[in-house]
Amino acid sequence: MTEHFAPDTDRLSRFLLPHAGVRGVRVHLTEAWRQVRANGPYPPAIEEMLGEACAAAALFTGHAKVDGRLSVQLRAPGALRTLFAECTAAGTIRGIARFDADLAASMTRDLRDLGDGALLALTIENPSRGREPMRYQGLVSLDSATLSGAFEDYFRQSEQLPTRVLLAVDGGHAAGLMVQRLPGDEGDADGWNRISTLFDTLSTTELLRWPNEVLLTRLFSEDEPQLLGERLLEFGCSCSRERVEAMIASLGPDEARASVVDGEVHVVCEFCGQDYRFSPDEVETMLRTAADAVASPERMQ
């Protein structure tokens, strides 16, 4: 008999396994993932990788100190050109992929097949007192076939702590689970081996379908899991009219004016589909404002 549960909806949960000395994070996306998928359609392999990347970006905000935003970025020279997923400290998620349609039909899920020059990175941007945010970027090795395996290797190497990561996607859900041994000698002698063995018994279907309480109880009941906190997640884009204006002004006078087509500049956000339109007079105002901002320090001197 198949059991049916109502999975957690767009939620991040942090937990502790005190007897084993292990901490963990679990993420489940539904509506947020549906809205990211709306940028498609994507070929199956790319859609799965994008969903896993969205789950991973959210998952890692529950592990690392993120006051701004954390992104997963993948660039490659073949079928998959660019994949980007981002989660902010406020719990907003967005993601997108760009690909060569002719090559993507035969693309595999194996990261090792992405080609020479492929690059996977984790980037954290936190606000600072200056104009530019504090930025940290770590490069992730592509020696593993899957994103789950690649991220496991990355955390083991960068933090030198045993870490397990499982990511899963289907048409309506994306999910992730991460467990990591706490630093120091906390937990019993066999704690990490026990948790890692139990982790291996979890299927991607169970990760996608089980609510957090069911997952923790069935998987780690003997270690008396403790829920440390939960956070809601949702689709959200950081685009705004002001940001688009700044982008147009940064093109410079010649290119900004050349962007006027049929009496307007038309920009559509590739993440959320928001439509922005500017008249030629508005473009001139942007250029004057940008020029004044550059000249102001000289006048103050």
Side-chain angles (χ1 to χ4, degrees):
M1 179 178 177
T2 302
E3 295 178 282
H4 297 282
F5 299 102
D8 302 318
T9 301
D10 296 308
R11 189 179 303 270
L12 179 152
S13 305
R14 297 172 55 248
F15 60 90
L16 179 69
L17 305 173
H19 299 311
V22 172
R23 59 186 171 188
V25 186
R26 191 255 184 165
V27 160
H28 189 277
L29 304 174
T30 50
E31 181 61 19
W33 170 227
R34 185 193 68 79
Q35 292 186 258
V36 170
R37 287 179 69 217
N39 281 319
Y42 295 112
I46 292 177
E47 181 172 289
E48 289 180 22
M49 292 175 70
L50 179 59
E52 289 182 358
C54 288
L59 195 69
F60 301 152
T61 64
H63 170 73
K65 180 173 176 55
V66 178
D67 297 322
R69 63 189 73 244
L70 182 149
S71 64
V72 174
Q73 304 160 72
L74 177 59
R75 293 183 180 179
L80 177 59
R81 300 298 173 79
T82 303
L83 184 147
F84 177 90
E86 177 187 85
C87 184
T88 69
T92 60
I93 293 172
R94 64 177 184 166
I96 199 167
R98 291 285 178 256
F99 58 94
D100 184 314
D102 293 332
L103 298 176
S106 59
M107 177 180 167
T108 74
R109 280 291 322 276
D110 195 323
L111 296 181
R112 296 166 297 186
D113 294 336
L114 289 174
D116 295 337
L119 183 68
L120 177 61
L122 281 179
T123 305
I124 296 175
E125 290 187 1
N126 287 329
S128 67
R129 295 181 180 179
R131 293 184 61 184
E132 296 297 324
M134 298 281 290
R135 190 168 184 266
Y136 166 79
Q137 185 173 77
L139 297 182
V140 182
S141 169
L142 293 174
D143 296 329
S144 174
T146 65
L147 283 174
S148 296
F151 289 131
E152 281 188 355
D153 293 341
Y154 172 78
F155 282 106
R156 277 198 299 264
Q157 293 167 9
S158 66
E159 301 186 6
Q160 298 183 340
L161 291 170
T163 303
R164 300 301 308 275
V165 176
L166 180 63
L167 302 168
V169 179
D170 65 14
H173 312 274
L177 179 67
M178 175 179 180
V179 292
Q180 185 179 72
R181 185 173 182 177
L182 290 166
D185 298 323
E186 301 175 27
D188 60 67
D190 191 51
W192 174 252
N193 290 334
R194 180 173 67 253
I195 297 305
S196 186
T197 299
L198 292 169
F199 188 96
D200 284 332
T201 68
L202 181 68
S203 71
T204 55
T205 299
E206 291 164 343
L207 177 59
L208 288 163
R209 301 301 178 188
W210 285 357
N212 193 55
E213 182 179 355
V214 173
L215 187 151
L216 294 181
T217 300
R218 292 196 173 186
L219 206 59
F220 305 123
S221 59
E222 294 184 5
D223 282 88
E224 300 180 356
Q226 299 175 5
L227 190 62
L228 300 180
E230 294 188 319
R231 177 158 56 93
L232 294 178
L233 303 167
E234 63 180 351
F235 176 82
C237 189
S238 59
C239 75
S240 67
R241 191 172 182 84
E242 291 73 20
R243 286 193 172 197
V244 177
E245 289 177 352
M247 181 272 292
I248 294 172
S250 70
L251 298 176
D254 292 341
E255 193 170 346
R257 291 174 181 133
S259 300
V260 177
V261 178
D262 295 331
E264 66 179 6
V265 175
H266 184 201
V267 178
V268 178
C269 177
E270 61 182 358
F271 288 97
C272 67
Q274 179 65 45
D275 197 289
Y276 297 97
R277 297 174 185 269
F278 305 91
S279 69
D281 288 344
E282 289 176 313
V283 172
E284 293 302 324
T285 299
M286 296 174 209
L287 294 173
R288 285 196 299 271
T289 301
D292 289 344
V294 172
S296 292
E298 297 178 5
R299 288 197 294 266
M300 290 178 65
Q301 290 176 1

